[in-house]
Amino acid sequence: MKVLISKRQHFTCYENIIAFLSEKYNLQYEVIFAKMWDFEFDLSDKEKMVSDRMTGDFDLAMDYLTEYTGLAFTVNEEPSFRLISKCQKEVLEGRYVIIPSFRQKILEKYREVDGKPTTILMIVRIVADEVECVDIHGDVNDDGYMKIVRIKDEDFIDGIDDSGQSTFITYKIENTKKNVNQRDVLDKQINKILKEDEEGRNIFQRIREFAKEMNETNISREVCEERPVEKYPIIN
């Protein structure tokens, strides 16, 4: 079995999953990025490093995704002994199942792993005593298809089980979807961008303040031995 997933270089794992499922069902997934306009910068304590004073809320607009495409996700928790049968039901009805956290220590029995503690799997088929999955963190074959990992049932449960419980994500396509009203979506985000905080600043003003402070900051001050370089958003 082959699953054609085009991995987008700058997408996160979940963004790739949403894009793949949206294309499978001929939906417009781009609306999930509509709310990614945010920037907070704290001017109150200049003794802190610049990177500790900048924050942002960049959550995916899952409510927009459901509203405009009908694609809705549900996080499920079941006793581990029921996991395979629950996932089998979804797969037999033509839907994939997402495993948000699978232990790489178990997965390394089947392929090389990247050293991270967990990965994200998407179940595409369950046959005999094996679960066939796509590793969203995994590589793509030369033909553009994601590599399928076949995991024994008992190992699959061991990779997810948490004190007898297992978490998995299912989805459905609701019939309540409506056409994307781009003007409506943009108007909501423009209002968010221009909305002033308690100090009378909107997002653009906060960005200007950040840029001004960057011109006055010694970049070496942003690095210390207490945290690795990649933990500093100003450098990363």
Side-chain angles (χ1 to χ4, degrees), residues 58 101 122 133 156 234:
F58 306 116
S101 180
M122 187 168 68
C133 305
F156 184 76
I234 202 171

Side-chain angles (χ1 to χ4, degrees), residues 1-5 8 16-29 71 90-91 93-97 122-124 171 173:
M1 183 178 185
K2 290 185 175 182
V3 178
L4 182 58
I5 297 182
R8 293 157 177 80
N16 266 311
I17 290 172
I18 291 169
F20 164 69
L21 293 176
S22 297
E23 290 175 350
K24 173 180 171 64
Y25 296 103
N26 195 29
L27 306 172
Q28 292 179 287
Y29 66 86
L71 180 58
E90 294 292 320
V91 173
E93 293 179 359
R95 296 183 294 273
Y96 300 129
V97 179
M122 187 168 68
I123 301 173
V124 297
Y171 66 89
I173 308 296

Side-chain angles (χ1 to χ4, degrees), residues 106-206:
I106 301 296
L107 194 61
E108 67 183 3
K109 295 181 181 181
Y110 300 89
R111 71 161 183 82
E112 292 184 6
V113 297
D114 57 14
K116 296 178 181 178
T118 61
T119 188
I120 301 171
L121 299 181
M122 187 168 68
I123 301 173
V124 297
R125 188 165 66 167
I126 299 176
V127 292
D129 62 345
E130 289 185 331
V131 180
E132 296 186 359
C133 305
V134 170
D135 181 0
I136 302 301
H137 287 164
D139 297 326
V140 178
N141 293 321
D142 293 339
D143 60 4
Y145 290 89
M146 295 284 290
K147 294 180 180 179
I148 298 294
V149 183
R150 295 174 175 83
I151 305 173
K152 293 291 184 181
D153 285 357
E154 59 270 21
D155 286 337
F156 184 76
I157 293 175
D158 285 345
I160 307 172
D161 180 78
D162 182 10
S163 301
Q165 295 289 112
S166 295
T167 301
F168 60 99
I169 300 172
T170 55
Y171 66 89
K172 61 181 178 180
I173 308 296
E174 299 180 344
N175 294 324
T176 56
K177 69 178 181 180
K178 61 183 182 181
N179 293 329
V180 176
N181 184 330
Q182 295 183 358
R183 178 60 182 267
D184 183 46
V185 173
L186 288 173
D187 281 346
K188 290 179 181 177
Q189 301 322 303
I190 289 172
N191 289 335
K192 176 182 177 181
I193 291 170
L194 297 180
K195 183 179 179 180
E196 296 182 348
D197 58 21
E198 295 177 354
E199 298 173 353
R201 306 175 304 163
N202 60 35
I203 288 177
F204 291 119
Q205 289 168 318
R206 293 194 290 270

Side-chain angles (χ1 to χ4, degrees), residues 44-125:
S44 64
D45 188 357
K46 294 195 175 185
E47 294 301 315
K48 289 184 179 179
M49 289 186 289
V50 173
S51 55
D52 284 335
R53 293 188 281 134
M54 55 184 287
T55 58
D57 181 11
F58 306 116
D59 292 335
L60 297 177
M62 301 302 291
D63 54 340
Y64 281 3
L65 184 70
T66 301
E67 179 181 357
Y68 292 111
T69 72
L71 180 58
F73 292 88
T74 301
V75 178
N76 308 272
E77 187 171 290
E78 290 281 349
S80 295
F81 70 87
R82 294 179 182 169
L83 176 65
I84 300 295
S85 61
K86 291 289 185 179
C87 293
Q88 178 75 294
K89 180 179 183 296
E90 294 292 320
V91 173
L92 288 176
E93 293 179 359
R95 296 183 294 273
Y96 300 129
V97 179
I98 301 157
I99 306 300
S101 180
F102 190 89
R103 297 183 183 90
Q104 292 266 40
K105 187 176 181 180
I106 301 296
L107 194 61
E108 67 183 3
K109 295 181 181 181
Y110 300 89
R111 71 161 183 82
E112 292 184 6
V113 297
D114 57 14
K116 296 178 181 178
T118 61
T119 188
I120 301 171
L121 299 181
M122 187 168 68
I123 301 173
V124 297
R125 188 165 66 167

